Amino acid sequence: MRRAEERDFEAFVAARGPALLRLARLLVSDAHEAEDVLQTALLRLTGHWGRRVQDPEAYTRRVLVNLAKDRGRRRLPWPFAPESLPPGRVPDHADAAATRDELTAALATLPPRQRVCVVLRHVEGLSEAETAGLLGCSVGTVKSQTSRGLARLRDILGPGPAAPTSANAGS
């Protein structure tokens, strides 16, 4: 890699690294594994940097998803049972962190494909078509896996805030 390409690569990692690490963390559910997966993805990207990759972020996302799916097949998605987490919620400023931890633990219980679909659709904000393209499957598969994943999350996390019904929506 030439010096100019190295600078471009370093700028890309500095700009997009935190978002890619967040994605990796949601996909593999362990902070250390997420760092390893991201390092592997970035290492693969360096081999193609500047020549064959027109959208390095999309390429890195695809590698992250593939690595997460591979790890999900080999390992348990979470090192301990979610039931072993402390009950209740933290009533102070740590409430947001507790909610995030609860969601992360719930995501870890999903099968790898459902977890990837839910994360890409609802955390990363990709469309069904973009998610299908990234996973190399049909839009119908993305829809069904996302639906099943969300249903499982609702079972684990319980009902969320009450949505307005048509009777009280206008009041």
Side-chain angles (χ1 to χ4, degrees), residues 12-161:
F12 168 75
V13 172
R16 299 306 306 149
L20 292 168
L21 180 58
R22 180 182 60 131
L23 173 61
R25 177 71 174 88
L26 290 169
L27 293 173
V28 297
S29 300
D30 177 75
H32 299 292
E33 277 194 60
E35 291 172 2
D36 290 344
V37 167
L38 179 58
Q39 285 289 55
T40 302
L42 291 174
L43 184 61
R44 290 183 184 180
L45 176 62
T46 62
H48 303 287
W49 187 261
R51 287 179 287 172
R52 292 176 274 188
V53 177
Q54 293 180 5
D55 186 352
E57 185 167 0
Y59 176 87
T60 307
R61 282 182 184 200
R62 177 176 284 272
V63 173
L64 284 173
V65 166
N66 290 336
L67 290 170
K69 286 192 310 189
D70 290 346
R71 285 182 185 251
R73 289 183 193 116
R74 289 187 305 226
R75 300 179 188 205
L76 290 174
W78 196 253
F80 56 87
E83 294 79 24
S84 68
L85 293 173
R89 302 186 88 179
V90 179
D92 60 15
H93 68 281
D95 199 30
T99 300
R100 183 178 59 245
D101 290 346
E102 185 180 6
L103 179 59
T104 301
L107 279 169
T109 66
L110 297 178
R113 190 163 222 177
Q114 288 178 12
R115 182 173 59 242
V116 168
C117 286
V118 169
V119 168
L120 292 176
R121 290 279 296 123
H122 295 282
V123 176
E124 291 296 308
L126 297 182
S127 70
E128 291 167 343
E130 291 169 326
T131 302
L134 194 59
L135 295 176
C137 64
S138 70
V139 171
T141 299
V142 170
K143 288 179 181 182
S144 66
Q145 292 297 308
T146 303
S147 176
R148 289 179 189 140
L150 291 174
R152 176 77 177 123
L153 288 176
R154 281 187 214 98
D155 288 345
I156 294 168
L157 299 172

